[in-house]
Amino acid sequence: MTGDEVYVILQGEGILHVDNESSPVSPMDVIEIPPGSIQWLENTGACELAFLCIVDPAWQVHDEKILE
């Protein structure tokens, strides 16, 4: 991702992985994701993990790179 991203955790619990760091997340956590980072969010709780992702500039498909 080339833009700035902010995640707001709305419900559930998980672990946010950003590059080589991992941090637990829970409701009302606000996390800034640096541009160009490799990130993924892992649900570790008993319920669904829901979050709001704010992206600036607006997300576009050519900005995304999915690694398998």
Side-chain angles (χ1 to χ4, degrees):
M1 184 72 195
T2 59
D4 291 318
E5 291 183 63
V6 174
Y7 286 6
V8 180
I9 307 301
L10 302 175
Q11 84 175 28
E13 295 178 346
I15 299 174
L16 178 62
H17 305 272
V18 180
D19 293 328
N20 295 322
E21 296 184 23
S22 299
S23 300
V25 295
S26 58
M28 301 312 299
D29 285 350
V30 178
I31 308 104
E32 182 178 358
I33 309 295
S37 297
I38 296 172
Q39 82 263 12
W40 58 285
L41 191 53
E42 174 184 2
N43 184 358
T44 59
C47 67
E48 289 187 355
L49 177 61
F51 66 99
L52 172 66
C53 181
I54 303 165
V55 181
D56 183 43
W59 180 87
Q60 294 185 31
V61 71
H62 67 268
D63 290 335
E64 193 76 20
K65 198 183 282 187
I66 297 176
L67 305 175
E68 294 185 32

